[in-house]
Amino acid sequence: MSTVTAYAATSATDPLAKTTITRREVGPHDVQFDIHFAGICHSDIHTVRGEWGGVRYPLVPGHEIAGVVTEIGPAVTKYKVGDRVGVGCFVDSCRECSSCKAGLQQYCIGSGMVGTYGSVGKDGQPTQGGYSGSIVVDENYVLRVPDALSLEAAAPLMCAGITTYSPLRHWNAGQGKRIAVVGLGGLGHMGVKLGVAMGAEVTVLSQSLKKMEDGLRLGASEYYATSDPATFKTLRNSFDVILNTVSANLDLSAYLSTLTVDGTLVELGMPEQPMVVPAPPLVSMRRHLSGSMIGGIPETQEMLDFCADNGIAPEIELIAPDYINEAYERVLASDVRYRFVIDTESLRGE
């Protein structure tokens, strides 16, 4: 085992603090890599604060990870020392169920996917995430970062990128499709960029117009304030797909009414309260309410390659590890445009 410097949560209420953790020895199929950058996802905050269920502390968050390979196991065939790689939201799965065999490891129906943090790994130890200096992961759950992507830009793609790419691909975003993105945050700004790159016409639906200039700069054709009741009258029967990137309980009747026949509202956020689903707007236009969660390994690699080929990168603010707690507060205040990324150099050097 190796000792690594990291930032961990010790309870749901205490600030994250510098500590050391151990990583398992590199096994036959393992890849060890130095973490250069780790994105901060809102789900990190939900998990750290115990808002999504029980947490085994200490917990090192982080599932938007990019770095450089430093060691490989003797049976590794996909990577070599010096390769630029990344890891997203999971580090293992059963590998045998129909979902895993189809490359949909995120929907593993066997033993379930093993989260990058907060789960139990194949060594029987709790998994710890990317707010750290290095990590050891089975080569089958490691992703290659194309040369055209910087490592700091690649990190948020491992979650924010694939979380929006997957539903856009699944619901065939492209030429002739009208897509709405609810919320212009870490997920939403990637939904806009990816939807536009796929050829769709993209509209942003946000509470106010304060980010309108950004939304249009990122490629959106239109930008509407959902606090204005006229918005939903104007947009009635307009969209083929809506991506809801916010974890708030929407007035589903209003949003569903903006879908065209056979349109789909895709839930990406995780509201704390149960959603009230009205039947009339669903049945009247054969509309659909669905959900989507990240992507499998093949699709995530496809997304990285797509971003590299199309010059797509997240809008980021680089921070040092000792700024993590302040960054959490700013995320909660929606005071980031649009993703914090931790430069982990100081964690690698200790």
Side-chain angles (χ1 to χ4, degrees):
M1 290 188 176
S2 57
T3 301
V4 178
T5 304
Y7 268 74
T10 55
S11 77
T13 55
D14 290 328
L16 277 73
K18 185 184 287 189
T19 186
T20 57
I21 59 172
T22 57
R23 297 296 192 188
R24 68 171 184 263
E25 293 295 332
V26 176
H29 291 279
D30 283 338
V31 170
Q32 179 170 332
F33 67 92
D34 279 350
I35 297 172
H36 286 226
F37 299 97
I40 292 179
C41 178
H42 204 144
S43 60
D44 297 346
I45 304 174
H46 285 302
T47 304
V48 162
R49 300 189 173 187
E51 295 168 355
W52 285 351
V55 179
R56 182 185 297 180
Y57 299 102
L59 176 73
V60 177
H63 57 210
E64 297 182 338
I65 308 170
V68 177
V69 176
T70 56
E71 185 178 347
I72 60 172
V76 170
T77 60
K78 298 179 180 179
Y79 301 99
K80 65 182 186 302
V81 172
D83 281 351
R84 303 162 76 249
V85 297
V87 165
C89 298
F90 56 92
V91 292
D92 212 338
S93 63
C94 83
R95 312 186 189 200
E96 299 176 350
C97 71
S98 57
S99 293
C100 287
K101 289 181 178 179
L104 299 172
Q105 296 91 345
Q106 76 276 29
Y107 301 129
C108 175
I109 58 175
S111 55
M113 72 173 186
V114 177
T116 303
Y117 62 85
S119 292
V120 177
K122 64 183 181 182
D123 57 358
Q125 298 301 309
T127 56
Q128 303 286 10
Y131 298 8
S132 57
S134 69
I135 194 169
V136 179
V137 181
D138 185 287
E139 66 173 324
N140 293 295
Y141 296 81
V142 175
L143 298 145
R144 185 175 300 279
V145 176
D147 291 339
L149 288 175
S150 67
L151 287 177
E152 60 264 38
L157 296 178
M158 303 296 168
C159 177
I162 188 58
T163 297
T164 48
Y165 182 91
S166 186
L168 287 169
R169 274 288 184 240
H170 184 77
W171 277 278
N172 301 310
Q175 292 289 339
K177 291 294 183 74
R178 293 195 66 188
I179 309 295
V181 176
V182 181
L184 193 68
L187 291 181
H189 92 287
M190 286 307 306
V192 172
K193 288 191 173 191
L194 290 166
V196 171
M198 291 176 185
E201 180 182 329
V202 180
T203 296
V204 175
L205 303 178
S206 185
Q207 281 189 312
S208 72
L209 299 179
K210 68 178 182 179
K211 295 181 182 178
M212 183 173 182
E213 185 177 341
D214 272 6
L216 298 178
R217 174 179 60 82
L218 295 172
S221 300
E222 296 180 305
Y223 197 110
Y224 288 89
T226 56
S227 56
D228 182 356
T231 290
F232 294 99
K233 294 180 180 179
T234 302
L235 298 176
R236 191 170 182 83
N237 304 326
S238 292
F239 303 116
D240 299 293
V241 178
I242 300 173
L243 299 185
N244 177 26
T245 72
V246 301
S247 293
N249 288 82
L250 302 181
D251 177 357
L252 286 181
S253 181
Y255 285 85
L256 288 169
S257 72
T258 67
L259 290 169
T260 189
V261 177
D262 286 326
T264 303
L265 191 160
V266 186
E267 190 69 27
L268 303 180
M270 298 279 282
E272 292 182 18
Q273 302 300 319
M275 300 168 64
V276 177
V277 183
L282 285 175
V283 302
S284 64
M285 299 287 277
R286 201 165 62 190
R287 296 171 175 128
H288 309 274
L289 176 62
S290 191
S292 180
M293 183 181 69
I294 54 176
I297 294 298
E299 189 174 48
T300 305
Q301 188 64 60
E302 176 187 302
M303 176 273 305
L304 291 169
D305 296 339
F306 180 87
C307 288
D309 292 343
N310 290 276
I312 297 172
E315 312 267 313
I316 64 174
E317 180 177 335
L318 280 175
I319 64 170
D322 61 7
Y323 191 74
I324 290 171
N325 293 298
E326 289 85 350
Y328 272 25
E329 295 305 317
R330 286 181 57 191
V331 169
L332 293 172
S334 298
D335 179 27
V336 55
R337 299 198 178 179
Y338 283 93
R339 204 64 155 187
F340 284 117
V341 174
I342 306 164
D343 182 341
T344 61
E345 181 178 5
S346 64
L347 303 183
R348 299 195 306 276
E350 298 182 13

